[in-house]
Amino acid sequence: MLSQAGSVLLVETVRKTGLDQAISAALAPWRKPRAVHDPGKILLDAALAVALGGDCLADIAMLRAEPAVFGPVASDPTVSRLIDTLATAGEKALTAIRTARSEVRRRVWELAGSRAPDTGGQVIVDLDGVLVVAHSDKQDAAPTWKKSYGHHPLRGFVDHGPGGTGEPVAALLRPGNAGSNTAADHITTARLALAQLPKRYRRGRQTLIRCDSAGIRCDSAGGTHEFVSWLARRGRWLSYSVGMVITETIHQHVLKIPESAWTPAVETGGEVRDGAWVAELTGDLLDGWPKGMRLIVRKERPHPGAQLRITDADGMRITCFATNTAGRPIAELELRHRLRARAEDRIRAARATGLRNLPLHDTAQNKVWLEIVQLALDLLAWMPMLALTGKARLWEPRRLRLRLFSAAAQLVTTGRRRILRLARHWPWTGEITAALARLSLLPKPG
């Protein structure tokens, strides 16, 4: 009898995408001559444990208990030694892991075909910060802006659109009080994200960078100006949709907008959004900003109980963002920017997949842990994209674990064949077998 038998979906995804080969090749320099366990296999086993709900290195024991599914799994001391070795190697090891992930991502998108995130000809990358609370003294942990204590990493996610979820492409570990140099941090995170994309999407208008003004609030308009200038720089030419801080100058211009200039905001289905309007700001307000930038404001009736800010006007909540997309209605651009909220779903999934806390003490070790989390989230995004359909592709990690991965099965060996017999009464056995059938049709790597 096997527990966690549904996790063969993740094991098969690793095999079909070639992730095991890529990670093993990337970490080959750190394999000792007489080592029994391959460093790449150890790191992937840790990622599989996190994908299945683990939140520390010791949770790899759940894989060790099922060698028929996961193969030989290293002992806890061996896993710890590898993490220390990679932490000592620093950026060299992190770059090797990220390069391998980038190569595999290109193959996954090719295998996904029409279900890949670049099907529409554009890739959307969302940048957002996440607070990770520390319950003990860890290196670089500090008080956060929410009065908690811990770290404040910046994350980047590729949006899969309404038919899917999203996959991680960047993670920058920062102290909890990070904020004095956030424009530089956003640029670093954007660089990491672009390096994860196929080469044709690393520059040009077909790649859209979205982020909210909250991420650059400490630098006010100066931080936003530096980040937008970097995105629009000659030779990079990226599309952007970046939230702006409502400065006093912007506030005064909003007050002067005539009522006839406001356009009703819209919802995803094209219907008018009740109590919300958008307008575009022009004139000397754009002096000094990159050429082609558009400044769009939205006013909306706040929800009951919400407290207005000093920059809100006439009882309306005012927000503002900048974009360089031309030739599209401002209501459509505002809706596109508002859909950046899908990044909050990705953050919730990351918290449920190893990012609830950072389990190690040193920052260098936790950077390696962050890459393990990235690998786990990659698998949880690639498996549904390649093998699931309909509403099942929208399932978040917790639901995948409950309905698919936790299924029990019986392993039967007869002759030279091994047969995995899933419990027939399990409500989602059909989803598992159909997903395995789709994965089996994919070509083998190499």
Side-chain angles (χ1 to χ4, degrees):
M1 297 298 297
L2 298 178
S3 61
Q4 299 288 332
S7 57
V8 295
L9 289 168
L10 296 178
V11 176
E12 189 68 4
T13 299
V14 168
R15 192 173 69 87
K16 288 292 189 176
T17 59
L19 183 61
D20 50 351
Q21 299 175 21
I23 294 294
S24 292
L27 298 187
W30 291 275
R31 179 168 187 171
K32 296 181 179 179
R34 291 186 292 177
V36 174
H37 295 280
D38 177 65
K41 173 71 162 58
I42 296 173
L43 199 74
L44 272 180
D45 284 344
L48 284 169
V50 172
L52 294 174
D55 60 4
C56 66
L57 294 176
D59 287 334
I60 202 172
M62 80 169 86
L63 275 64
R64 196 180 301 118
E66 302 293 356
V69 177
F70 302 104
V73 177
S75 65
D76 289 350
T78 301
V79 176
S80 295
R81 282 195 296 269
L82 176 64
I83 300 302
D84 289 340
T85 300
L86 297 178
T88 302
E91 286 299 319
K92 185 177 180 180
L94 298 179
T95 301
I97 297 170
R98 291 165 182 163
T99 302
R101 290 177 53 226
S102 175
E103 294 172 357
V104 176
R105 193 179 316 279
R106 178 185 56 80
R107 171 175 167 80
V108 171
W109 288 14
E110 291 175 356
L111 291 174
S114 62
R115 294 191 291 174
D118 63 341
T119 302
Q122 185 176 59
V123 174
I124 299 176
V125 178
D126 291 317
L127 306 183
D128 207 347
V130 53
L131 294 180
V132 180
V133 176
H135 299 285
S136 61
D137 190 23
K138 300 181 187 296
Q139 187 178 11
D140 286 339
T144 71
W145 61 278
K146 277 196 173 182
K147 312 301 181 184
S148 59
Y149 180 79
H151 297 81
H152 187 195
L154 267 178
R155 305 296 308 275
F157 301 92
V158 169
D159 187 18
H160 284 186
T165 53
E167 55 190 283
V169 287
L172 179 66
L173 186 59
R174 308 186 303 164
N177 58 357
S180 61
N181 196 25
T182 48
D185 289 344
H186 274 70
I187 291 172
T188 301
T189 307
R191 287 186 188 276
L192 292 175
L194 292 171
Q196 283 295 306
L197 304 180
K199 286 188 177 180
R200 63 183 179 277
Y201 294 117
R202 294 178 186 176
R203 63 181 69 239
R205 288 285 190 263
Q206 72 273 22
T207 299
L208 172 70
I209 305 293
R210 287 191 305 203
C211 71
D212 191 53
S213 60
I216 356 179
R217 64 186 182 282
C218 295
D219 288 336
S220 189
T224 307
H225 199 296
E226 183 181 348
F227 185 49
V228 168
S229 298
W230 182 86
L231 293 171
R233 187 168 299 166
R234 181 179 177 85
R236 194 168 288 120
W237 294 306
L238 296 166
S239 296
Y240 59 82
S241 185
V242 179
M244 298 279 286
V245 176
I246 304 292
T247 62
E248 179 60 27
T249 305
I250 293 177
H251 181 59
Q252 293 302 320
H253 276 74
V254 171
L255 295 177
K256 297 176 182 177
I257 299 176
E259 198 63 33
S260 58
W262 291 98
T263 302
V266 297
E267 298 284 11
T268 51
E271 63 273 13
V272 172
R273 182 177 175 88
D274 184 41
W277 298 266
V278 293
E280 184 170 0
L281 298 177
T282 57
D284 59 356
L285 193 63
L286 300 179
D287 292 347
W289 290 87
K291 185 178 179 180
M293 192 186 89
R294 304 174 69 183
L295 200 57
I296 298 171
V297 293
R298 180 185 69 168
K299 66 176 183 180
E300 185 172 22
R301 221 175 276 121
H303 62 80
Q307 295 191 4
L308 294 174
R309 299 182 294 249
I310 194 170
T311 53
D312 293 331
D314 299 326
M316 295 286 185
R317 171 59 48 86
I318 304 296
T319 56
C320 179
F321 71 95
T323 182
N324 60 346
T325 303
R328 292 175 63 178
I330 58 174
E332 184 179 329
L333 295 175
E334 189 276 332
L335 172 63
R336 185 186 68 177
H337 184 75
R338 196 177 347 126
L339 290 176
R340 191 210 62 83
R342 287 169 54 83
E344 300 298 330
D345 299 332
R346 309 289 76 78
I347 289 176
R348 182 174 61 248
R351 289 185 186 278
T353 311
L355 206 60
R356 184 180 61 85
N357 69 306
L358 298 176
L360 306 172
H361 178 270
D362 295 348
T363 296
Q365 294 173 326
N366 282 321
K367 285 183 178 180
V368 178
W369 175 261
L370 213 55
E371 292 305 314
I372 292 173
V373 171
Q374 296 284 86
L375 282 167
L377 290 170
D378 275 338
L379 290 174
L380 292 173
W382 293 343
M383 188 278 290
M385 184 164 61
L386 296 174
L388 299 181
T389 58
K391 291 184 178 180
R393 194 187 160 188
L394 297 171
W395 290 349
E396 293 190 1
R398 286 176 178 169
R399 184 159 293 179
L400 289 171
R401 292 170 195 142
L402 174 68
R403 296 186 173 184
L404 302 186
F405 304 152
S406 63
Q410 184 181 24
L411 186 65
V412 179
T413 303
T414 169
R416 296 183 179 180
R417 299 172 62 202
R418 291 196 304 170
I419 303 170
L420 190 66
R421 292 180 175 171
L422 293 160
R424 186 173 298 176
H425 62 275
W426 189 250
W428 300 282
T429 292
E431 291 280 1
I432 299 172
T433 54
L436 286 171
R438 294 186 191 98
L439 288 174
S440 68
L441 296 176
L442 298 177
K444 295 180 181 179

